[in-house]
Amino acid sequence: MGRSPCCAKEGLNRGAWTAHEDKILSDYIKLHGEGKWRNLPKRAGLRRCGKSCRLRWLNYLRPDIKRGNISSDEEDLIIRLHKLLGNRWSLIAGRLPGRTDNEIKNYWNTNLGKKVKDLQQQNTNNSTPKNAKIAHKQNNPKPMVPNSHVVRTKATKCSKVLFMNSLPNSSTMQNLQNKVETETKTKPSMHVDSRDSDSMSNNQMENGNEFLSFSDAKKGLSTDLLVDFNMGDHDISLSELLNSDFSTACNFDYNELLSPCSDQTPMFSDEILKNWTECSFVDEKNVTNNLHYFTSFLESSEDVLGE
DNA sequence: AACCCGCGCAACCGCCTTTAG
DNA sequence: GCTAAAGGCGGTTGCGCGGGT
């Protein structure tokens, strides 16, 4: 049957948004809230398609957006989540504070996709399946993002992501993590990452939208993984989280959570996936439970999907 | 200085899912 | 239960910018 276009295209502005349009849109949304996108342009006095307004707000104008400089931790998480979830950018974005699905998708397409492809190619070329994998895990506490073969041709973009010349060895990682721990204790609301703080938008800084201050006020719950794990005595850096042996540390057998598929490769149950991706971590009990889910996913994905 | 090329990213497009009547 | 509208999502496009020649 075919859907009718979301709005008449005649007489509508297209392409890049002007500062004036941005102001109109954000003022309107601050006043009336999100939603009713189709009617919004008319009510706000914008000559834009409703979808376009929604996209502009979600991907650019929203106050909790964090721009630029995807940290190595975030990058690592994206890779792992992508391995787990595939191109479900909104789900991946849901676990990265202040990041939009569009941004992650773009970042993947321009950087990580190639990187991972290179890595896979390397693995297939010079590895014997199991031993190589074990050795890799032991020698590389931070498994993903190898020596970055991706050459950033644009010098101006180099500041956005910290690429190490080589993988950090375990002692380097330990030092780094110690530093992270120290810093998170002195600045409990801040998460240490490799970004140059100068590159954060002034607006964000002024609004106090630091890396860890994001929260979904509207829903009244946090969707921020890093916030979720940064809680009181349970402070934990993402690096640690990603590198630790959770099943051991938590005395938790994640295999119990996997759908039994007899002798086949275990598959993730949809229920777990749903639980985890929608988890709110609103109380400590939930945090513990969902941490289990999360760690199970990441650990399992290494084994199940990483072949 | 001018042109070409590649990259990054914002924005668009069209399909799918959810919601409301 | 059905249908259309609205919202959401992932894939793709195209523009602007900077580096290289």
Side-chain angles (χ1 to χ4, degrees):
Chain A
M1 156 158 64
R3 285 174 51 80
S4 58
C6 76
C7 43
K9 298 203 185 303
E10 298 85 33
L12 292 183
N13 291 346
R14 293 171 60 83
W17 281 64
T18 65
H20 183 58
E21 287 176 312
D22 282 346
K23 188 174 185 314
I24 292 174
L25 180 58
S26 38
D27 284 351
Y28 181 88
I29 290 175
K30 274 173 199 162
L31 215 59
H32 300 94
E34 297 179 37
K36 310 276 183 197
W37 295 108
R38 188 162 297 212
N39 295 331
L40 187 147
K42 201 183 284 180
R43 291 169 189 257
L46 282 165
R47 295 161 66 85
R48 288 277 179 178
C49 162
K51 273 187 159 185
S52 182
C53 293
R54 175 183 164 272
L55 217 59
R56 183 65 177 172
W57 173 254
L58 293 179
N59 288 336
Y60 197 82
L61 296 176
R62 230 173 42 185
D64 48 27
I65 295 284
K66 185 176 58 168
R67 312 200 67 77
N69 289 64
I70 289 189
S71 69
S72 50
D73 270 353
E74 287 177 300
E75 189 175 302
D76 196 6
L77 183 58
I78 292 170
I79 291 170
R80 287 170 183 245
L81 288 173
H82 184 269
K83 197 156 78 173
L84 184 65
L85 300 169
N87 293 358
R88 295 158 83 174
W89 305 115
S90 59
L91 280 180
I92 296 173
R95 309 313 306 170
L96 285 149
R99 300 293 183 190
T100 68
D101 52 355
N102 207 35
E103 186 179 13
I104 291 170
K105 182 172 58 181
N106 282 334
Y107 190 70
W108 180 270
N109 288 336
T110 53
N111 293 287
L112 299 182
K114 295 173 204 163
K115 239 182 230 183
V116 170
K117 203 175 170 185
D118 283 352
L119 182 68
Q120 281 170 348
Q121 205 137 34
Q122 274 180 16
N123 284 347
T124 51
N125 285 346
N126 54 13
S127 73
T128 55
K130 267 203 167 162
N131 293 341
K133 194 179 165 192
I134 293 166
H136 176 77
K137 271 199 167 183
Q138 287 170 343
N139 295 332
N140 300 282
K142 189 150 184 144
M144 297 306 295
V145 193
N147 308 338
S148 175
H149 295 291
V150 178
V151 178
R152 291 192 170 263
T153 57
K154 293 177 80 167
T156 51
K157 299 286 181 185
C158 286
S159 64
K160 299 187 85 176
V161 179
L162 173 64
F163 287 106
M164 298 187 174
N165 288 331
S166 60
L167 275 173
N169 57 33
S170 51
S171 66
T172 310
M173 284 304 296
Q174 190 58 52
N175 289 339
L176 193 60
Q177 287 174 5
N178 289 342
K179 190 182 168 210
V180 167
E181 280 169 12
T182 311
E183 297 224 27
T184 46
K185 272 167 189 158
T186 29
K187 292 188 248 170
S189 68
M190 294 286 289
H191 178 87
V192 175
D193 73 29
S194 55
R195 294 170 302 146
D196 177 357
S197 60
D198 288 342
S199 63
M200 290 183 75
S201 78
N202 292 333
N203 190 36
Q204 281 178 306
M205 297 303 283
E206 282 166 14
N207 292 336
N209 291 319
E210 293 94 350
F211 194 41
L212 271 182
S213 61
F214 171 83
S215 67
D216 191 339
K218 189 182 170 190
K219 291 178 191 162
L221 49 86
S222 168
T223 55
D224 180 344
L225 174 69
L226 298 177
V227 170
D228 298 336
F229 292 143
N230 185 26
M231 42 171 199
D233 294 339
H234 302 286
D235 271 3
I236 182 169
S237 79
L238 186 53
S239 293
E240 287 175 289
L241 179 64
L242 294 173
N243 294 327
S244 55
D245 183 350
F246 300 112
S247 55
T248 308
C250 302
N251 191 23
F252 176 76
D253 184 5
Y254 56 78
N255 287 321
E256 288 175 9
L257 285 173
L258 300 176
S259 301
C261 290
S262 63
D263 53 343
Q264 294 174 355
T265 306
M267 301 294 289
F268 296 111
S269 99
D270 287 348
E271 186 64 22
I272 300 170
L273 176 63
K274 192 165 180 288
N275 276 344
W276 176 68
T277 54
E278 292 175 355
C279 67
S280 64
F281 296 154
V282 288
D283 57 34
E284 194 159 329
K285 193 179 164 202
N286 255 348
V287 170
T288 309
N289 289 339
N290 287 303
L291 174 61
H292 286 162
Y293 284 139
F294 177 63
T295 55
S296 301
F297 266 92
L298 294 181
E299 284 291 293
S300 306
S301 69
E302 291 284 318
D303 297 332
V304 175
L305 304 174
E307 315 290 359

